[in-house]
Amino acid sequence: PAFETMINFRAGLSAVTGTYPVNVVATSQSGSKKYPMNLKVNPITECSTKRFGTYLATDMCSPFGNYQATVFPGSGTVKNRIMISNLHGGFGNSLFADLNCDNASLTIPAQPFNAGTITGNGSFTNDAISIDYTITFPGTPPSVCTVTLQKM
């Protein structure tokens, strides 16, 4: 009898792009048949949407201890840009970060933050974001900080 099937493969962020030979073996009552084929792993071109959500932030510099931060869509015109609200524990600011999907890294370009400037870089996994950032306020030494955002 005729039949139809579908196979879904899912790769993680650490999957290496390329083409890999695979063999699919179909087995029935009448025997087995091998189907050689190639599995192509394409580079990730969009990874920002999987970061959206609420996070518990553990921040070594925040005067508020642990706090919640939110990641939401950034610019509609800049690919893989996210917005992060409440970083550093509640100054009511949002900042943007640009994601590099190929190596699971992010960059926070210099931008206004409260009465100062913030810049930073970091990395991400499926359920966490780690950021090293520097906040500079006029007339004070820069604050160099690390925060880990764990998806809730």
Side-chain angles (χ1 to χ4, degrees), residues 39-144:
L39 173 66
K40 185 175 181 183
V41 178
N42 295 320
I44 299 171
T45 58
E46 205 300 317
C47 60
S48 65
T49 57
K50 292 183 179 181
R51 311 288 86 78
F52 300 162
T54 304
Y55 290 78
L56 176 63
T58 305
D59 191 331
M60 65 178 236
C61 289
S62 172
F64 308 106
N66 292 349
Y67 56 88
Q68 284 188 6
T70 304
V71 175
F72 56 96
S75 167
T77 59
V78 179
K79 191 174 192 175
N80 291 311
R81 176 166 285 178
I82 59 173
M83 297 296 294
I84 304 171
S85 70
N86 207 35
L87 192 72
H88 198 64
F91 289 107
N93 290 315
S94 293
L95 59 93
F96 69 88
D98 295 318
L99 306 180
N100 181 324
C101 302
D102 293 332
N103 64 10
S105 68
L106 65 86
T107 302
I108 299 172
Q111 57 196 282
F113 189 80
N114 202 16
T117 302
I118 190 167
T119 185
N121 58 62
S123 61
F124 58 89
T125 64
N126 286 332
D127 59 357
I129 302 171
S130 297
I131 303 171
D132 297 318
Y133 65 96
T134 302
I135 299 176
T136 306
F137 294 104
T140 64
S143 296
V144 179

